[in-house]
Amino acid sequence: MGVRSMFRTATKLVAGTTLLGGGAAIATSDNPSTAFKLCTNVPVRLVRDCFTAALVAFDYEYSLWGLPEGSAERSKAKHEVHTRSARRLQELCFQNGGIYIKLGQHIGQLEYLVPQEYVQTMRASMLNRCPVSSYDQVCEVFMKELGSMPHEIFIEFDRVPLASASLAQVHAARAQNGEKVAVKVQHTHLTDTAAADYATVNLIVNVLHWCFPSFDFRWLVDEMRESVPKELDFLAEARNSEKCLDNFKRLSPHLADNVYAPKIHWNLSTSKLLTMEFMDAPEVTDVDAIRRLGIHPKEVAKLVSQTFAEMMFKHGFVHCDPHAANLLIRPMPSGKMNILGKRRPQLILLDHGLYKSLDFSTRTNYAGLWKALVFADVNAIKENSVKLGAGEDLYALFAGILTMRPWNRVADPAVDHLVIKGDESDRSEIQMYASQYFSEISELLRRLPRVILLLLKTNDCLRAVNNSLLQGSSLDTFLIIGRVSSEAIVQMKMSQKKSVLSALCIWLEEILLEARFLGMQIALWLLELRKALAG
């Protein structure tokens, strides 16, 4: 019944979507070739979307028909249909490219919502199998943006890209002064087809929701509609990178030397072409390469955690796409070492296209929530979750999504209550909750403000990085988050103090917090000592 309805609805809406989505772009395009591309590509994309969605829906209905809930046969059939459907969605994303790949990347981060088969399929492919623009297309961008060919601007330009992402690809080059640079070139088709892509994705998500009410990903389309245009403006990305470093110098000077972003060559950069300093460093999850540099992965995990905690709780200006390819690690240029003789790491941040600014209220409540999570303060967890939009009925679920821990662990006062081991039992528990509370999680994500959705995405990316570095999470990570969030709250209170007495109360609160963190640190050392003795 659902499949037949989907086909009927899709057929009725094809023409309307083409007119509303692609038609608007065609009407405003002065380029005949662009208009022709839209006229030919939009119907093809739409038919491809509808066919894939209908095939997935039919596969689920047919494969699970008559199999009793909880049976071994149904579990096996569900795993198989999840795997087939994930591959179909993967192939659709690759065929359509651009915004669809961004959609696939986002789905790969929704471990708390979608089946593991989708997560694994998307994570394994969406970051390293992106489409590549031809050299002729790269030259087309250069001529439009700078009026010259690459070899006329650079003394060397590698025609083969170093890497390709969903929205752009990066080429190595050498500037006229001999400096090696990285040139980020936007894929040519994105601007032409973006409006149509939004319309077709929006159609298919709405049709799926109409057929299967519990399947509500409309919030994801809304979030992409807002964020992707910002990522397509490379000058905004360049400004974001400079603002990020300036924030560390002004607001987190103790960490400023440990965080770096490539210098921008403004005279060779436009909204679709970005020239920057070349960075030769391994990705943050390349543990073997990091060890060869004389850096301990645990120190890298601590630096990543502190960097993003400072952004979220103190700066209010957050890099919201910290997946492994956007985080590089190298030794501190100063050559400084820690007390164990290991080289200190420097974190290099790439791809500054997707940032989110947090207003004072959101930053205060988000810091308060994480402080409460670290200290297992149930009342404060509820209070801050409600303020952030989760509601009194879903605050426990919100806390579980942030920490990937069930509520009984979130509320456990044990010092290591939030630590994820990263083993099979942990993954099974997460997937069980994703399946059991699918409708509630969908409602929560629909309800939360978009800024919180992007923070959830950031949180998911950072968790994946930590898991690669540490094979799970670490108590160190949560101590850092708890400390920075607590410091941010104290700073915000100090900025609003109204009397000497209130300042004194805040100062005493800070002393008590330091004592509490010292106690947690001692507990961490004892846990590590116990593990060492047991091993």
Side-chain angles (χ1 to χ4, degrees):
M1 183 270 290
V3 178
R4 291 194 299 271
S5 299
M6 185 182 298
F7 274 125
R8 285 198 301 269
T9 306
T11 303
K12 291 177 184 178
L13 292 177
V14 164
T17 303
T18 304
L19 288 172
L20 291 174
I26 294 169
T28 58
S29 176
D30 297 325
N31 189 332
S33 64
T34 297
F36 178 75
K37 286 179 187 176
L38 286 167
C39 287
T40 55
N41 287 342
V42 172
V44 172
R45 274 172 153 76
L46 187 58
V47 170
R48 194 183 287 149
D49 289 354
C50 291
F51 178 77
T52 300
L55 190 60
V56 167
F58 176 80
D59 196 357
Y60 274 99
E61 287 199 4
Y62 178 78
S63 300
L64 302 180
W65 183 268
L67 297 177
E69 282 287 349
S71 66
E73 293 84 357
R74 186 178 179 88
S75 296
K76 181 182 177 183
K78 188 181 287 187
H79 167 71
E80 291 171 352
V81 73
H82 282 337
T83 302
R84 289 194 299 271
S85 299
R87 288 172 181 163
R88 290 181 183 121
L89 182 59
Q90 174 197 56
E91 187 59 30
L92 175 69
C93 291
F94 284 134
Q95 286 178 336
N96 287 347
I99 289 169
Y100 286 83
I101 290 179
K102 294 295 291 184
L103 182 67
Q105 289 174 350
H106 205 130
I107 290 172
Q109 298 297 335
L110 298 176
E111 191 171 11
Y112 48 80
L113 180 61
V114 300
Q116 190 67 20
E117 291 84 355
Y118 286 84
V119 173
Q120 291 173 344
T121 300
M122 296 303 166
R123 284 187 180 177
S125 58
M126 287 297 151
L127 292 178
N128 53 23
R129 280 185 53 194
C130 295
V132 177
S133 293
S134 68
Y135 182 66
D136 288 341
Q137 290 172 317
V138 170
C139 291
E140 182 184 334
V141 175
F142 266 85
M143 288 302 296
K144 283 183 179 179
E145 298 301 307
L146 297 177
S148 301
M149 298 289 279
H151 64 269
E152 296 173 333
I153 297 172
F154 301 101
I155 57 177
E156 292 178 15
F157 187 88
D158 192 344
R159 296 185 175 210
V160 179
L162 293 168
S164 182
S166 56
L167 305 182
Q169 62 191 46
V170 178
H171 293 259
R174 199 167 294 278
Q176 294 295 331
N177 63 0
E179 180 187 352
K180 191 173 184 180
V181 295
V183 185
K184 183 175 179 179
V185 185
Q186 194 171 118
H187 294 311
T188 54
H189 69 278
L190 288 172
T191 305
D192 297 340
T193 61
D197 285 348
Y198 282 129
T200 53
V201 170
N202 190 53
L203 166 74
I204 213 68
V205 168
N206 275 283
V207 170
L208 283 170
H209 174 63
W210 181 70
C211 295
F212 309 99
S214 63
F215 186 96
D216 190 358
F217 278 69
R218 292 175 295 177
W219 59 268
L220 181 55
V221 178
D222 291 340
E223 189 269 306
M224 289 181 61
R225 183 183 289 111
E226 181 178 304
S227 63
V228 172
K230 296 176 183 177
E231 295 183 79
L232 291 173
D233 184 354
F234 290 173
L235 290 178
E237 176 181 341
R239 290 190 292 269
N240 286 343
S241 71
E242 294 194 342
K243 181 177 179 179
C244 172
L245 292 186
D246 183 62
N247 282 343
F248 277 99
K249 290 174 185 174
R250 291 185 304 105
L251 304 172
S252 305
H254 59 287
L255 206 60
D257 291 339
N258 297 87
V259 181
Y260 191 78
K263 292 185 177 67
I264 305 298
H265 291 251
W266 288 97
N267 60 322
L268 298 175
S269 298
T270 71
S271 62
K272 294 181 176 61
L273 193 151
L274 183 62
T275 305
M276 54 198 147
E277 179 184 1
F278 187 88
M279 298 277 87
D280 186 13
E283 290 184 7
V284 69
T285 54
D286 191 345
V287 175
D288 291 338
I290 288 170
R291 289 187 187 278
R292 286 196 295 271
L293 291 173
I295 299 171
H296 199 293
K298 187 176 181 180
E299 293 301 310
V300 175
K302 289 165 68 174
L303 175 58
V304 171
S305 296
Q306 182 153 15
T307 297
F308 282 87
E310 298 274 339
M311 283 189 195
M312 288 186 278
F313 306 134
K314 292 186 179 180
H315 305 175
F317 187 65
V318 187
H319 187 309
C320 289
D321 199 16
H323 60 72
N326 289 339
L327 307 178
L328 307 182
I329 293 293
R330 68 180 180 184
M332 287 284 290
S334 63
K336 290 182 180 179
M337 296 188 178
N338 63 22
I339 57 175
L340 299 177
K342 290 286 187 179
R343 302 175 78 178
R344 292 176 57 200
Q346 184 180 62
L347 177 63
I348 301 169
L349 301 174
L350 304 180
D351 196 351
H352 298 261
L354 184 56
Y355 270 73
K356 203 67 180 178
S357 296
L358 310 183
D359 59 43
F360 185 85
S361 175
T362 300
R363 187 158 56 93
T364 302
N365 295 328
Y366 196 61
L369 175 56
W370 269 108
K371 176 187 171 186
L373 289 168
V374 171
F375 288 137
D377 184 341
V378 172
N379 291 332
I381 291 172
K382 180 177 181 180
E383 178 186 347
N384 287 286
S385 295
V386 170
K387 288 179 180 178
L388 289 168
E392 295 197 1
D393 54 332
L394 295 178
Y395 73 91
L397 191 60
F398 184 35
I401 287 176
L402 280 171
T403 60
M404 296 299 279
R405 300 283 74 197
W407 178 250
N408 65 317
R409 289 291 302 277
V410 171
D412 187 342
V415 68
D416 60 343
H417 67 293
L418 296 180
V419 174
I420 301 172
K421 297 174 184 176
D423 56 21
E424 191 57 42
S425 64
D426 265 349
R427 283 188 286 272
S428 298
E429 187 175 46
I430 290 166
Q431 283 299 302
M432 180 191 73
Y433 274 82
S435 174
Q436 188 174 351
Y437 296 108
F438 180 87
S439 298
E440 291 86 349
I441 295 172
S442 296
E443 168 60 20
L444 175 64
L445 296 177
R446 185 199 63 76
R447 186 184 296 180
L448 291 171
R450 285 194 198 124
V451 64
I452 302 300
L453 295 177
L454 276 177
L455 291 180
L456 285 177
K457 176 190 175 185
T458 304
N459 194 42
D460 296 337
C461 289
L462 294 175
R463 185 186 297 110
V465 167
N466 259 302
N467 187 58
S468 297
L469 289 166
L470 305 172
Q471 298 307 304
S473 61
S474 164
L475 183 53
D476 269 326
T477 298
F478 294 108
L479 285 178
I480 289 168
I481 293 172
R483 182 180 292 276
V484 177
S485 59
S486 298
E487 289 173 354
I489 291 170
V490 169
Q491 289 176 5
M492 286 183 261
K493 286 181 178 178
M494 288 295 289
S495 69
Q496 295 181 315
K497 67 181 185 297
K498 298 179 180 178
S499 66
V500 175
L501 180 60
S502 63
L504 179 61
C505 291
I506 296 169
W507 179 68
L508 289 173
E509 180 185 346
E510 188 173 11
I511 292 175
L512 291 173
L513 280 170
E514 282 299 319
R516 197 168 183 181
F517 278 113
L518 178 60
M520 294 178 74
Q521 187 68 61
I522 292 171
L524 170 61
W525 291 334
L526 290 175
L527 281 171
E528 291 180 342
L529 178 61
R530 189 182 305 162
K531 289 178 184 177
L533 292 174

